[in-house]
Every structure is written in C-alpha cells, then in structure tokens.
Amino acid sequence: MESTEKWIVFAQYKSGDSCFTEVVSRVTGTREDAREQLLAATRAYREPMREKWREVYRMPGGDSYLVIVKGAVTLSEITMGIAELVHDSKDGKTE
C-alpha cells in the first residue's frame, strides 16, 4: 500500500531581531522519505557564496538537525526539521 502522508522540510533561523520559518520542500510519502529529504537539505540549505565549513548535528529522535554554516564573513545557525500535515482545510481531512 502506497503512503499518501504529506510532510514539509522546514528551516528556522534568526536574522537580526527577527525569527523566520521557511518551507524548504514538500514531501509525499513516509516519514523515512521526509527524513531523507531533510538530510539532503542540511547539506545545501543557505549556502553562502564562499562557504568555509558546515557542521550538521542530528537532534534526538532524528526528525530535526542543527546546521552551523561558516561563510567568509558570516556564521549561521539553522534548525531544520520535518513536520507532518495533520489538517488541510482545502481537502477537509483532519487527523
């Protein structure tokens, strides 16, 4: 049986005094499919023009990561994770 679960890969970060949440990608499939997309996203998200290094830390549970990226003049700390769709008013489905 094919899964029709819907997920997002998201990123959260702070810039100045503002916090942002961004949907990086949408995934239809299993939790493992979403986790694979998440891991791939941690390696490329917010690549600075001259990346010096990148560290990726898996959080307990495996559904989120802390990504630290050092560019030529910036240091970014980004939390990335997956979230499962449980309600969508467009299709009337609710978990």
Side-chain angles (χ1 to χ4, degrees), residues 38-39 42-44 54-58 65-69:
L38 170 61
L39 184 56
T42 65
R43 295 185 174 125
R54 174 178 299 250
E55 295 176 337
V56 177
Y57 296 90
R58 185 177 53 234
Y65 291 83
L66 173 63
V67 180
I68 303 172
V69 182

Side-chain angles (χ1 to χ4, degrees), residues 4-16:
T4 58
E5 295 172 306
K6 294 183 181 179
W7 302 83
I8 60 166
V9 172
F10 67 88
Q12 295 180 314
Y13 57 93
K14 186 174 181 181
S15 181

Side-chain angles (χ1 to χ4, degrees), residues 67-88:
V67 180
I68 303 172
V69 182
K70 174 67 174 148
V73 294
T74 61
L75 180 68
S76 300
E77 296 174 345
I78 307 143
T79 301
M80 299 186 73
I82 59 172
E84 182 180 11
L85 178 67
V86 296
H87 173 76
D88 184 348

Side-chain angles (χ1 to χ4, degrees), residues 37-49:
Q37 289 285 328
L38 170 61
L39 184 56
T42 65
R43 295 185 174 125
Y45 182 74
R46 289 185 62 114
E47 266 186 285
M49 287 187 61

